[in-house]
Each structure stands twice: as structure tokens, then as C-alpha cells.
Amino acid sequence: QVRLVESGGGLVQAGASLRLSCAASGRTFSNYAMGWFRQAPGKERELVAAISWSGGSTNYADSVKGRFIISRDNVQNTVYLQMNSLKPEDTAVYYCAAGDEVYTSITTMRSPDYWGQGTQVTVSS
């Protein structure tokens, strides 16, 4: 079992930055590819960014490329999402997810094994 706890969400103005954190506990963190998803009201959950178990490979949604950076610290068992130049359309609940690195593609992060509870990000115009 892996427990994921997100933090760092909040209300900011357009153009501002936020850094989300996801602290993992339980099984060996480095066994898992990690991803950040988001879900806006009335929309489907979408993959925002993902990172391989080593941190050597990353993947981003086109809508956040050049603005968001995903990283991980396998000593601190934490994955981060640095969000810069935020836009009102980035408003959503952001979820952290973990998928076994053996069979999880960071391109899709299909069917993650574990989810966090989510953190709200609201960007005002």
C-alpha cells in the first residue's frame, strides 16, 4: 500500500506560480512512476505531467509544456509540480498518482495503482 498526500494548492492570480508537493509513504517510492492529474468542474480527469521512477524521463500535456515542471526526490519520497505562469484554465483539483514502474507508461499513466486525495488550485483572472 502507498499513501499519497498532496499539498501546496491555493488561490492565486493569473501569472503567478505555485509548487505542489506529494508525499508518499508505504512501499518503496522509487518502484513507482509518478504523475499529476487534474480535474476541472464538468471535465474529465486529465494527465498533466508524469515522471519515471528515476526521474530521468518526463512527460507533459501540451497545455502545460514550458510552464510546469515535474520532479521527484526519492530520498524524501516526494514528487513536485512546479507551476509557473498560471492561467485561469489551470483551475482544477490536482491529484497525485503512483503506478508500478514495471508496467506503467509515463505517456499515459493509465490505471495508476494509488491516488492522493487532491488539492485545489484556483487561478483568478
Side-chain angles (χ1 to χ4, degrees), residues 1 3 10 27-28 43 46 51 53 78 83 96-97 99 110-111 115-116 121:
Q1 188 76 11
R3 182 169 182 250
R27 293 184 175 179
T28 305
K43 294 189 177 181
E46 63 171 345
I51 188 166
W53 69 273
T78 303
M83 304 186 295
C96 173
R110 187 172 290 118
S111 300
W115 291 92
V121 172

Side-chain angles (χ1 to χ4, degrees), residues 17-41:
S17 297
L18 277 176
R19 189 176 81 155
L20 305 183
S21 299
C22 173
S25 60
R27 293 184 175 179
T28 305
F29 181 65
S30 59
N31 286 347
Y32 293 89
M34 300 297 297
W36 285 98
F37 291 76
R38 68 185 180 188
Q39 187 166 21

Side-chain angles (χ1 to χ4, degrees), residues 1-2 4 27-35 37 50-54 72 97-115:
Q1 188 76 11
V2 174
L4 303 173
R27 293 184 175 179
T28 305
F29 181 65
S30 59
N31 286 347
Y32 293 89
M34 300 297 297
F37 291 76
I51 188 166
S52 62
W53 69 273
S54 66
R72 66 188 295 161
D100 190 304
E101 58 92 13
V102 173
Y103 55 77
T104 299
S105 166
I106 64 168
T107 302
T108 62
M109 285 292 291
R110 187 172 290 118
S111 300
D113 297 289
Y114 303 101
W115 291 92

Side-chain angles (χ1 to χ4, degrees), residues 62-115:
D62 288 343
S63 58
V64 307
K65 279 181 183 176
R67 299 189 298 123
F68 290 11
I69 301 171
I70 188 171
S71 61
R72 66 188 295 161
D73 184 333
N74 285 349
V75 174
Q76 297 296 324
N77 293 346
T78 303
V79 62
Y80 304 97
L81 186 68
Q82 177 67 42
M83 304 186 295
N84 301 319
S85 302
L86 282 161
K87 304 175 181 180
E89 51 263 44
D90 294 319
T91 295
V93 178
Y94 283 72
Y95 298 90
C96 173
D100 190 304
E101 58 92 13
V102 173
Y103 55 77
T104 299
S105 166
I106 64 168
T107 302
T108 62
M109 285 292 291
R110 187 172 290 118
S111 300
D113 297 289
Y114 303 101
W115 291 92

